[in-house]
Structure formats: C-alpha cells, structure tokens
C-alpha cells in the first residue's frame, strides 16, 4: 500500500500548446514569424497518446467567423482525445465560454478581455466554476526590474505589474494562471524561473509556466526551482525536438512526480 | 446496450458522451423518468455547484427517480457527491443514497468570499494544498470490479474542492492533504470523484468496466 502522505503529490503536468490560425497549428518566435505545424486535431491525438497531461489550444484567427469555427474545432478535439484541454483566444463574454464548454472544452483561457474587464473572470467563475478559468498573462521584464503585463498577444504594454494583476485575478476567481514570459518565449533558453516561482509560491492556485522551454533540464528547473505546477511548450513538441515520454522519464529520474 | 446519461443543469455531460462514443457506445442524454428506469446503465455526471444541481434535480423530479434506480448507476464528480448524504458546499442536503458526508478540503482558496490576503496566510512555497485540487493524482486500495485491470497508484484526473469522507463505502482512496474516498459504492450505486472521461486510458478502462458490470 502506498504511503498515505499528508500532502499529495499531484503529478507535474506537461502541456503542449497548439496555436491555431485558420484551422492549422502555427508556431512563431517571440510572438511573430508564424510557421505551419500541422493539423491541430491530429497533433492533439498524438500528444494524448504520448502522455501529455493536458492540452491548450489558443486561437489566433482574426476572422469574424472565428467563433463558429473554433466551436467546431473544439468538438472535433473533444471527440478524439481523453485528457483535459483548455481553449483560448478572443474570449470576451460568459456566453463565449458557455459555447466552448458546451462543445467539450474543459477550461477556457482568457487574457486581454479579462484585463480590460476584470469582472469577466468573476462572471465565468460564477457561471462555470473557478476550475475552468485559466487566466493567461503575457509578461515582460523591463529595464526597471519589474515584470509588466502585456495585452493583445504581446503587442500592447500596460502599466500593470504581473504580480499585482495575478493577485487580483485570484481574488476575482481565476482558477489557474498561465504565465508566459515574453523575454523567454521562443528562445529555448529556459523558463523564467524567478517570476514563475514568485507567483507559484504566493498564489493559492496552480501556475503553468510558459515560454523558453528548450531542453529537458529546463523542465526540471521550472518544477524544482520555480515550483511550477505545470509547464507548457509548443515548438519543441511540434517539431519533435523533445518527445514527451523521454521528458517524463527524465523528470522522474529527478524525483519529480509525473504521470507515466 | 442502452446507456442513459442523466440530463440536468450540470456541466460536462457532453464530455461523458464523447468518452462513451470513443468506446463505441451511443448513449442517450435524458431527463425522462421512464427512459432512465429502462436503461441498462445510468451515468450521472456533474460539474458545478451542489445546491443548484440538487435544485435542478428536484425541480424535474429526478431526485426520486435516481433514488429508485435498480440498475448500475455511476455518479461522476458532483454526480458522486450528490449520491451522498450532505455536502458542505452551500450546506446542501443530497440524495442520501450513500450515507457519507461531503466536505471541503481543509485549505483556504480564492472562492466566494475568501479574500486573497486571508488565503495566503496558509501558504509557504511548495507543499501547500491548493484548492480546488486540479490535476492528476493516484488512486489506491482499489476494491471493486469497477477497477478491474487498473493497477494500484494509477493516475486519474481531478477537479474538485469537496470530497467524500472515507467510510465503509469507499472502494478507492486518494490522498490530497488527507485520505478521502476517490470512489464509493453502495448496492447498485457507484460514484467516482475523478473524471473518468478525462483520465486517459485509465478512465476509459473504468468506464468500460462500469459498462461491463
């Protein structure tokens, strides 16, 4: 019988992220220069089979038809995969959320709209529960030594500090924070350990680290040193630079709890 | 096989439907008493808040229907909690089929009326209990045909702030700050706290096992 440890060892989650544009998976560097990375449903199915713990789909399509096409895509994904998945991109209302959850998504990721209208967080949490509200924060370390919140896919700087915004979001009912360091995203030089640890240690909700994962040691670092609950990456998985089973074996070798 | 899923105002019914489809089963989502009574198996899913879920059942007369079901019934997540006596979530009297209580995890959280400052008091780096429990945890002490072929310490996916207390009706345990009932059974009523429909191959196997009962 396993030891009945008082603090549970939830598995650290490995989350491939699929950026979707016009129905295809794309991946850019530092939020620009998009490359095609294949059919999202096929990729999603592959990742589920390989042992991904969860998936995130971020729709960056800018057409007026996007809502309907996204809902259709969510249905196709939900039919195929047997692990949880989060959908984000352009969600502006509780109604948007109910369409996506009704199509089979488990959680929604909100970013710019939540910053501009923080009550959106509370509204979704009330309607569907905190557990399905993933607040995405794109943040950049500036010369003054502070991490600032950026909006609109990293194009618009705000005066808000990442830590303050995350705290406020928790109070409003956010269930998880998806933290992307713009300084690290696309660099493959490792995750932003300091801001990830700061949030992870201070917030009563899980923190998903994103941006910069380039080799297996980076994932060890973000779990061991930065106390992230989950780590998200895109291109290293899409372009098969790191295989998820290999990554999990590597983490297990460091005593990090992973689902194998 | 005629599988019915209880239709009421709880979330994730669609996800359960998809999971069954992946197993090659076409289930019917219904709130009709006769359809539920005549099904071979009934699945009672749920994501949401206990008191409003109970209210929805009562308004549609489904509370009485569920209590009288004779075939195998599987409650999932809030569906399982509603099979119990009482939930601390908004002090809700539940169906009382499985005589155990449902409590909140002993940690502060961001939910309803609890401010951030208050919730940070119990936190200090790693090892803190975040509520809701979101993620993959392991089940052990498996003792039911529901877990046939499932090894001890298999990972299952959880999303919840409330748990059923350990009792003689426990058929699987899980630890999150304390040991609790990951699954319960009384007579033909089974309940799992975790999400079989999102628990990868383990979840698929448990659903398959339920359909084989």
């Amino acid at each position: 019988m396993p030891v009945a440890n008082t603090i549970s060892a939830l598995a650290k989650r490995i989350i491939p992220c699929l950026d979707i544009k016009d129905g295809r998976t794309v991946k850019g560097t530092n939020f620009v220069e998009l490359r095609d990375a294949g059919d999202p449903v096929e990729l999603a199915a592959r990742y589920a089979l390989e042992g991904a713990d969860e998936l995130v789909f971020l729709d960056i399509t800018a057409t007026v038809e996007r809502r309907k096409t996204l809902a259709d895509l969510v249905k196709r994904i939900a039919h195929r995969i047997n692990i949880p998945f989060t959908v984000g991109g352009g969600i502006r209302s509780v109604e948007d959320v109910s369409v996506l959850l009704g199509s089979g998504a488990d959680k929604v990721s909100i970013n710019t709209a939540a910053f501009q209208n923080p009550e959106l967080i509370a509204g979704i949490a009330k309607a569907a529960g905190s557990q399905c509200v993933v607040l995405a924060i794109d943040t950049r370390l500036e010369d003054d030594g502070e991490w600032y919140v950026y909006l609109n896919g990293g194009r618009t700087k705000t005066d808000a500090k990442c830590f303050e915004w995350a705290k406020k979001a928790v109070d409003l009912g956010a269930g998880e924070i998806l933290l992307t360091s713009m300084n690290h995203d696309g660099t493959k030089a490792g995750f932003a350990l300091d801001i990830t640890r700061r949030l992870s240690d201070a917030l009563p909700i899980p923190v998903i680290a994103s941006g910069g994962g380039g080799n297996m040691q980076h994932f060890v670092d973000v779990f061991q040193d930065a106390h992230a609950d989950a780590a998200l990456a895109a291109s290293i998985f899409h372009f098969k630079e790191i295989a998820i089973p290999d990554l999990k074996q590597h983490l297990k070798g460091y005593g990090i709890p992973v689902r194998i | 096989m005629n599988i019915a899923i209880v239709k009421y105002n709880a979330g994730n019914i669609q996800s359960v439907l998809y999971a069954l489809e992946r197993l090659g089963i076409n289930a019917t989502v219904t709130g009709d008493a006769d359809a539920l009574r005549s099904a071979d198996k009934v699945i009672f899913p749920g994501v949401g808040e206990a008191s409003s879920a109970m209210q929805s059942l009562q308004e549609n007369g489904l509370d009485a229907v569920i209590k009288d079901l004779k075939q195998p019934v599987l409650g999932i997540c809030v569906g399982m909690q509603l099979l119990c006596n009482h939930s601390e979530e908004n002090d809700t009297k539940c169906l009382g089929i499985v005589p155990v209580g449902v409590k909140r995890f002993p940690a502060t959280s961001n939910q309803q009326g609890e401010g951030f400052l208050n919730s940070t008091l119990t936190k200090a780096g790693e090892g803190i209990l975040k509520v809701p429990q979101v993620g993959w945890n392991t089940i052990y002490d498996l003792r039911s045909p529901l877990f046939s072929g499932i090894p001890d310490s298999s990972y299952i996916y959880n999303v919840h702030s409330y748990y059923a207390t350990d009792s003689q009706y426990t058929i699987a345990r899980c630890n999150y700050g304390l040991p609790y009932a990951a699954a319960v059974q009384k007579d033909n009523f089974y309940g799992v706290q975790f999400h079989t429909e999102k628990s990868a191959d383990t979840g698929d196997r448990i659903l398959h096992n339920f359909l084989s009962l």
Side-chain angles (χ1 to χ4, degrees):
Chain A
M1 187 182 129
V3 178
N5 55 327
T6 50
I7 296 296
S8 102
L10 279 192
K12 299 289 189 180
R13 287 172 278 156
I14 299 298
I15 307 180
C17 176
L18 291 79
D19 286 339
I20 310 291
K21 186 166 189 289
D22 303 324
R24 299 285 291 178
T25 316
V26 293
K27 180 56 194 168
T29 302
N30 289 93
F31 284 58
V32 288
E33 292 177 35
L34 300 175
R35 283 200 285 166
D36 190 288
D39 175 50
V41 180
E42 292 309 313
L43 256 185
R46 191 187 100 200
Y47 289 141
L49 205 61
E50 288 178 351
D53 297 302
E54 201 166 321
L55 297 166
V56 170
F57 299 85
L58 293 178
D59 182 45
I60 56 173
T61 307
T63 62
V64 286
E65 288 293 300
R66 60 177 318 198
R67 263 179 66 161
K68 188 179 176 309
T69 54
L70 184 58
D72 288 343
L73 178 65
V74 169
K75 280 183 195 162
R76 285 177 57 216
I77 296 162
H79 270 106
R80 276 293 291 279
I81 69 162
N82 57 7
I83 57 172
F85 67 97
T86 300
V87 177
I91 293 167
R92 308 213 144 263
S93 66
V94 175
E95 192 205 346
D96 289 344
V97 172
S98 65
V99 168
L100 295 172
L101 297 183
S103 301
D106 299 283
K107 312 176 192 180
V108 292
S109 166
I110 49 175
N111 189 335
T112 303
F115 187 87
Q116 291 167 342
N117 171 25
E119 283 307 308
L120 179 62
I121 298 173
I124 300 170
K126 184 161 186 291
S130 285
Q131 83 289 338
C132 79
V133 186
V134 179
L135 178 74
I137 304 178
D138 296 327
T139 187
R140 184 193 285 278
L141 178 64
E142 303 287 351
D143 292 340
D144 64 0
E146 292 282 356
W147 291 88
Y148 288 92
V149 176
Y150 276 69
L151 304 179
N152 299 312
R155 290 188 294 275
T156 310
K157 185 181 182 299
T158 72
D159 292 331
K161 289 171 184 156
C162 175
F163 188 74
E164 300 308 315
W165 170 225
K167 279 202 298 187
K168 183 177 174 188
V170 169
D171 273 347
L172 288 164
E176 287 183 272
I177 301 285
L178 167 51
L179 180 71
T180 302
S181 162
M182 295 170 59
N183 305 74
H184 297 73
D185 192 52
T187 64
K188 297 186 185 174
F191 294 93
L193 299 181
D194 55 349
I195 187 67
T196 301
R197 181 172 49 230
R198 197 169 161 215
L199 262 57
S200 195
D201 286 355
L203 302 181
I205 62 172
V207 173
I208 305 164
S210 160
N215 63 41
M216 295 200 277
Q217 196 57 37
H218 293 152
F219 288 81
V220 174
D221 295 342
V222 83
F223 292 133
Q224 279 196 336
D225 299 342
H227 307 160
D229 296 280
L232 177 145
S235 61
I236 54 161
F237 297 135
H238 302 338
F239 301 119
K240 301 188 179 178
E241 292 162 33
I242 293 179
I244 293 169
D246 296 345
L247 174 58
K248 288 197 163 180
Q249 284 298 339
H250 186 82
L251 295 169
K252 191 183 174 190
Y254 281 82
I256 295 167
V258 285
R259 182 180 66 99
I260 290 180
Chain B
M1 197 173 0
N2 176 5
I3 308 296
I5 300 177
V6 180
K7 183 180 186 180
Y8 68 119
N9 79 336
N12 102 320
I13 286 173
Q14 200 60 43
S15 299
V16 173
L17 206 52
Y18 289 149
L20 291 169
E21 276 179 32
R22 288 194 296 271
L23 294 174
I25 303 284
N26 283 314
T28 311
V29 180
T30 179
D32 180 73
D34 289 336
L36 290 170
R37 285 189 197 109
S38 63
D40 296 313
K41 304 271 178 354
V42 173
I43 297 179
F44 180 34
V47 166
E49 190 275 315
S51 67
S52 59
M54 267 310 291
Q55 193 184 340
S56 169
L57 291 177
Q58 286 158 353
E59 282 168 1
N60 297 293
L62 289 172
D63 51 339
V65 173
I66 291 170
K67 279 191 215 181
D68 285 341
L69 291 175
K70 304 294 182 235
Q71 67 275 60
V73 177
L74 178 66
I76 300 175
C77 195
V78 171
M80 166 195 160
Q81 296 176 2
L82 294 181
L83 295 178
C84 298
N85 264 356
H86 175 270
S87 172
E88 285 185 358
E89 188 171 22
N90 290 318
D91 192 16
T92 302
K93 186 176 188 302
C94 300
L95 294 168
I97 295 168
V98 185
V100 300
V102 174
K103 295 188 167 186
R104 188 177 169 84
F105 279 122
T108 51
S109 92
N110 55 314
Q111 291 187 330
Q112 293 176 10
E114 293 174 75
F116 177 81
L117 283 175
N118 179 32
S119 60
T120 51
L121 289 176
T122 55
K123 291 182 41 66
E126 281 284 81
I128 51 153
L129 201 65
K130 300 187 178 186
V131 178
Q133 173 181 210
V134 178
W136 296 86
N137 204 333
T138 52
I139 46 175
Y140 62 96
D141 284 355
L142 311 178
R143 46 189 168 190
S144 165
L146 197 60
F147 301 108
S148 168
I150 307 282
D152 215 49
S153 297
S154 291
Y155 275 99
I156 40 81
Y157 186 75
N158 304 279
V159 182
H160 61 123
S161 299
Y162 296 82
Y163 66 94
T165 51
D166 208 358
S167 74
Q168 66 187 98
Y169 304 101
T170 300
I171 54 170
R173 288 195 172 85
C174 185
N175 292 339
Y176 194 64
L178 73 181
Y180 68 90
V184 295
Q185 184 212 339
K186 188 178 181 238
D187 305 326
N188 56 316
F189 290 92
Y190 296 77
V192 290
Q193 176 59 64
F194 50 90
H195 287 274
T196 51
E197 72 283 5
K198 292 289 173 178
S199 291
D201 294 348
T202 299
D204 289 344
R205 179 64 195 256
I206 293 169
L207 270 181
H208 172 83
N209 288 343
F210 172 71
L211 299 178
S212 308
L213 285 173

